């Protein structure tokens, strides 16, 4: 256990040190890995542990990014750069609150119905963000440049993404070890039996969604700042929702290392190997997913770790 | 006189047209093993579904340790000390045997410090400690049944509802299960048992309730019940018919 914590800390420290040693492009690739890995791990708290697959998790990226955008536009007239940490936190909190509101009706749905309902929520929220003029999604929103003079932009955002990845790993590891996490596993395996064993299934499902949305919202807000200018199309992205699931599936769903491994493979594949051939991304993603589903349904981790894990459909 | 663990009064369950339970009364005294028997479709599992809060009764009252609990939720039942081993064993397939039992302990009535102890005790009592690290998926029926009972037991229940724990077991496994149930009772857990295996029922139970087509047709000690003509006609008779038909 302690060796695992130590290994994780070393891994994060090496990641964080990258800007001192590698050129800007590689730093951006590593930041992208942190962003995708953390997103997938946040998704995994609900999807992997509790077995409730969300097909629309990008809604929390979008809400997380739009909230600071709107606040900055309405209250600070485009300024407020020094408030970035607070604005990111508010983005996460509003995402979490939004999740809390939709959780009650949505988490009564099981399996594929929940997944589709989340897709619908993401679609509708995205449309609304573009349609409501007051929010400004149609035209877009500017986020202030918060990068300190002493730092290169890619280094600044890299440090934040590494920090958020550390936070997400910490949160997921805590959940996994806690009574809460064991309850989520019970829900994933058989929700009726979980109820009989006195697992507070309703409360746990809501808590898992809210925690997942909070982390996703923080990531979305930071992503918004790193773009500097956001529109509906740049943050309410269906491919984000899809990637979170694909990374978890590739690496090993329901584990902690799995989603990170999946994200790493996809980042290397799409940014490094196929970097020049943009139109091949989707093809490569699709081919890899099909191959994995056929050859290693438990993900890369399942290939060398014969840990028991049922091959399950999304949800019960 | 100690207070009964469970009292059932006028309990009725209707599924649209079908009356699955019809004004049934029964009392499970503390520290006993009681039986619930009857032909297929008599309403035995329905009784357990009502007592554990999986289904709301249409009429009647359920009291647990003197408190009215009619219409409570499965979680409330579990927290109060009612555990259940399902008729179709339902272990968590993707988890190991130990993880299964440990979840029972985590959400049961032992304190957080006792979780590992309650898990080990339950595994040992059912004789599955050697399988602790095996995935639940792929266990034999005999082991699944024992796991099902161990997980229920790990919650340190007051009342254990065991729905056909011997179904599908060979004679040796049945003997082991009978011995385990007896030890669980000796440990202070009251048991209400649904079982088709007459050897198990007659050997274990202090009192037996016989239902047929939703109605209580007899109640008493194993000897009394076995000698009751209505029981022989309704239950043992149908068993014999089945045996001859097969
Ligand atoms: N949820 C339900 N909805 C409708 N009918 C039901 C439901 N549950 C049980 N029944 C019906 O109620 C009757 C009693 O069923 P129950 O499962 O309680 O019988 P049982 O005594 O446990 O039988 P067995 O020995 O086969 O397990 C049956 O006719 C069954 O079809
Ligand atoms: Mg039954």
């Amino acid at each position: 256990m302690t060796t695992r914590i130590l290994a994780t800390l070393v891994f994060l420290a090496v990641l964080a040190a990258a800007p001192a040693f590698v050129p800007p492009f590689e730093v951006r690739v590593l930041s992208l890995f942190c962003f995708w890995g953390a997103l997938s791990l946040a998704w995994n708290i609900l999807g992997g542990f509790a077995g409730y697959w969300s097909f629309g998790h990008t809604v929390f990226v979008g809400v997380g990014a739009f909230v600071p955008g709107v606040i900055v536009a309405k209250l600070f007239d485009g300024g407020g750069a020094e408030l970035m940490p607070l604005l990111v936190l508010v983005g996460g909190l509003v995402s979490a609150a939004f999740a809390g509101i939709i959780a009650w009706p949505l988490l009564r749905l099981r399996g594929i119905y929940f997944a589709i309902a989340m897709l619908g929520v993401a679609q509708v929220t995205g449309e609304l963000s573009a349609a409501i003029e007051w929010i400004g999604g149609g035209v877009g929103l500017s986020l202030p440049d918060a990068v300190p003079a002493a730092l290169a932009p890619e280094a600044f955002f890299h440090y934040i993404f590494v920090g958020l990845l550390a936070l997400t790993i910490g949160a997921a590891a805590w959940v996994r070890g806690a009574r809460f996490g064991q309850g989520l596993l019970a829900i994933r395996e058989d929700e009726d039996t979980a109820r009989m064993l006195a697992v507070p299934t309703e409360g746990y499902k809501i808590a898992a969604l809210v925690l997942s949305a909070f982390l996703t919202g923080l990531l979305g807000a930071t992503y918004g700042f790193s773009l500097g200018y956001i529109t509906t199309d740049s943050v309410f992205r269906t491919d984000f929702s899809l990637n979170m699931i694909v990374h978890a599936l590739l690496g090993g769903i329901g584990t902690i290392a799995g989603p990170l491994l999946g994200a790493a493979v996809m980042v290397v594949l799409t940014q490094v190997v196929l970097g020049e051939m943009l139109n091949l991304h989707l093809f490569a993603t699709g081919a890899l997913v099909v191959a994995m589903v056929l050859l290693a349904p438990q993900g890369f981790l399942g290939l060398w770790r014969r840990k028991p894990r049922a091959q399950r459909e999304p949800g019960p | 006189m100690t207070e009964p663990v469970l009292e059932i009064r006028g309990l009725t369950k209707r599924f649209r047209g079908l009356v699955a339970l019809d004004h049934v009364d029964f009392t499970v005294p503390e520290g006993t093993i009681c039986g619930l028997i009857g032909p297929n479709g008599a309403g035995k599992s329905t009784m357990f579904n009502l007592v554990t809060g999986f289904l709301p009764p249409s009429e009647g009252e359920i009291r647990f340790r003197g408190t009215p609990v009619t219409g409570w939720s499965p979680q409330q039942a579990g927290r109060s000390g009612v555990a259940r081993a399902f008729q179709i064993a339902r272990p968590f397939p993707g988890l190991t045997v130990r993880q299964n039992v440990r979840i029972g302990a985590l959400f049961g009535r032992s304190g957080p410090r006792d979780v590992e102890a309650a898990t080990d005790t339950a595994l040992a009592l059912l004789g599955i400690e050697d399988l602790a690290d095996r995935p639940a998926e792929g266990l034999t029926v005999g082991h699944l049944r024992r796991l099902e009972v161990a997980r229920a037991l790990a919650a340190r229940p007051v009342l254990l509802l065991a729905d056909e724990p011997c179904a599908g077991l060979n004679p040796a496994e049945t003997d082991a299960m009978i011995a385990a149930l007896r030890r669980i009772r000796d440990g202070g857990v009251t048991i209400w048992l649904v079982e088709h295996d007459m050897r198990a029922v007659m050997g274990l139970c202090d009192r037996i309730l016989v239902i047929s087509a939703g109605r209580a047709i007899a109640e008493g000690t194993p000897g009394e019940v076995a000698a009751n003509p209505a029981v022989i006609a309704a239950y043992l008779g149908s068993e014999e018919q089945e045996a001859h038909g097969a």
Side-chain angles (χ1 to χ4, degrees):
Chain A
M1 198 63 215
T2 32
T3 48
R4 205 179 280 184
I5 294 173
L6 216 63
T8 310
L9 289 177
V10 169
F11 170 68
L12 289 168
V14 169
L15 260 181
F21 302 100
V22 300
F25 173 77
E26 276 74 14
V27 171
R28 280 202 200 91
V29 170
L30 289 172
S31 299
L32 193 65
F33 157 73
C34 294
F35 177 58
W36 280 7
L39 278 182
S40 185
L41 197 51
W43 176 91
N44 187 57
I45 290 176
L46 183 70
F49 293 165
Y52 274 75
W53 289 32
S54 159
F55 286 0
H57 239 52
T58 195
V59 70
F60 304 120
V61 177
V63 170
F66 261 73
V67 165
V70 171
I71 292 177
V72 161
K74 302 294 166 191
L75 298 182
F76 299 105
D77 201 22
E82 66 287 352
L83 291 175
M84 180 189 162
L86 193 67
L87 290 169
V88 168
L89 181 65
V90 171
L93 289 175
V94 174
S95 262
F98 179 68
I101 293 167
I102 60 171
W104 193 77
L106 253 59
L107 285 168
R108 305 185 155 250
L109 304 170
R110 286 194 183 180
I112 195 73
Y113 298 102
F114 169 76
I116 301 290
M118 279 303 301
L119 184 65
V121 166
Q123 215 67 34
V124 169
T125 313
E127 295 289 333
L128 282 179
S129 77
I132 301 175
E133 234 167 81
W134 187 81
I135 299 177
V139 207
L141 288 164
S142 291
L143 283 157
D145 181 358
V147 182
L151 277 177
E154 74 276 354
F156 174 69
F157 285 107
H158 182 71
Y159 294 135
I160 301 179
F161 279 122
V162 172
L164 289 176
L165 176 62
L167 176 71
T168 310
I169 292 175
W174 169 76
V175 169
R176 183 77 212 223
R179 188 166 173 263
F180 174 41
Q182 295 298 304
L184 294 181
L185 294 185
I187 291 169
R188 177 188 78 193
E189 296 290 316
D190 184 339
E191 193 162 343
D192 285 327
T193 304
R195 288 166 71 212
M196 184 68 243
L197 295 174
V199 177
T201 50
E202 298 305 316
Y204 274 18
K205 286 190 291 184
I206 293 174
L209 177 60
V210 168
L211 176 59
S212 175
F214 173 65
L215 295 166
T216 310
L218 294 179
L219 289 157
T222 308
Y223 182 67
F225 273 96
S226 77
L227 293 179
Y229 184 79
I230 57 168
T231 62
T232 294
D233 290 340
S234 66
V235 286
F236 286 93
R237 280 171 55 171
T238 310
D239 62 320
F240 280 172
S241 294
L242 195 67
N243 280 344
M244 291 184 224
I245 304 171
V246 167
H247 298 158
L249 274 181
L250 281 182
I253 190 168
T255 64
I256 291 174
L260 303 184
L261 191 60
V265 169
M266 287 306 288
V267 168
V268 169
L269 198 66
T270 59
Q271 303 301 309
V272 183
V273 181
L274 301 173
E276 305 295 302
M277 299 169 272
L278 268 177
N279 48 348
L280 271 179
H281 282 192
L282 219 57
F283 172 79
T285 310
L288 191 57
V289 169
V290 170
M292 286 301 291
V293 167
L294 293 178
L295 300 176
Q298 329 237 307
F300 291 122
L301 284 184
L303 282 178
W304 68 77
R305 190 172 62 180
R306 284 263 153 259
K307 249 198 101 189
R309 177 132 297 116
Q311 296 172 21
R312 289 222 127 190
E313 314 256 287
Chain B
M1 272 251 355
T2 54
E3 193 151 40
V5 167
L6 187 72
E7 287 172 274
I8 304 292
R9 294 292 167 256
L11 202 62
T12 301
K13 181 67 190 180
R14 297 186 201 92
F15 295 113
R16 292 196 202 90
L18 179 87
V19 186
L21 283 177
D22 191 358
H23 294 92
V24 178
D25 298 326
F26 192 60
T27 298
V28 179
E30 192 179 342
T32 60
I33 299 181
C34 289
L36 175 61
I37 64 174
N40 290 107
K44 305 180 296 292
S45 295
T46 301
M47 173 70 85
F48 281 8
N49 280 331
L50 298 184
V51 172
T52 55
F54 268 97
L55 295 172
S58 309
E59 266 178 61
E61 196 189 26
I62 303 168
R63 283 173 171 267
F64 180 65
R65 301 172 106 184
T67 316
V69 296
T70 320
W72 63 356
S73 71
Q75 277 102 339
Q76 288 171 320
R79 273 198 297 273
S80 307
V82 179
R84 172 179 186 176
F86 286 95
Q87 178 169 1
I88 318 266
R90 293 165 74 157
F92 301 127
L95 307 181
T96 65
V97 168
R98 172 182 292 280
Q99 282 176 309
N100 264 274
V101 176
R102 191 163 173 274
I103 287 175
L106 269 174
F107 293 91
R109 287 162 8 98
S110 41
R113 290 150 158 268
D114 296 339
V115 167
E116 308 308 328
T119 304
D120 289 334
T121 310
L123 285 169
L125 206 148
L126 272 299
I128 48 174
E129 61 269 63
D130 293 344
L131 304 173
D133 296 321
R134 289 257 293 272
E137 198 175 37
L139 292 182
T140 64
V141 179
H143 289 146
L144 280 179
R145 290 242 170 260
R146 285 195 243 173
L147 172 55
E148 183 83 5
V149 175
R151 189 178 58 188
L153 181 66
R156 302 231 162 109
V158 174
L159 174 66
L160 171 64
L161 303 177
D163 201 343
E164 303 200 25
C166 302
L169 302 191
N170 65 35
E173 289 170 334
T174 302
D175 285 340
M177 182 60 79
I178 291 172
L181 290 172
R182 214 172 255 132
R183 256 175 295 154
I184 291 170
R185 191 265 322 269
D186 293 343
V189 180
T190 304
I191 298 175
W192 200 8
L193 174 73
V194 166
E195 191 47 72
H196 281 293
D197 187 310
M198 278 307 120
R199 198 165 50 97
V201 173
M202 295 299 163
L204 274 173
C205 294
D206 301 298
R207 289 193 74 73
I208 296 172
L209 171 67
V210 190
I211 58 176
S212 177
R215 286 167 195 259
I217 57 167
E219 190 195 321
T221 63
E224 287 165 2
V225 162
N228 188 315
V231 177
I232 296 166
Y235 182 72
L236 302 175
S238 75
E239 285 265 294
E240 253 160 45
Q241 277 168 13
E242 265 173 38
H244 287 302

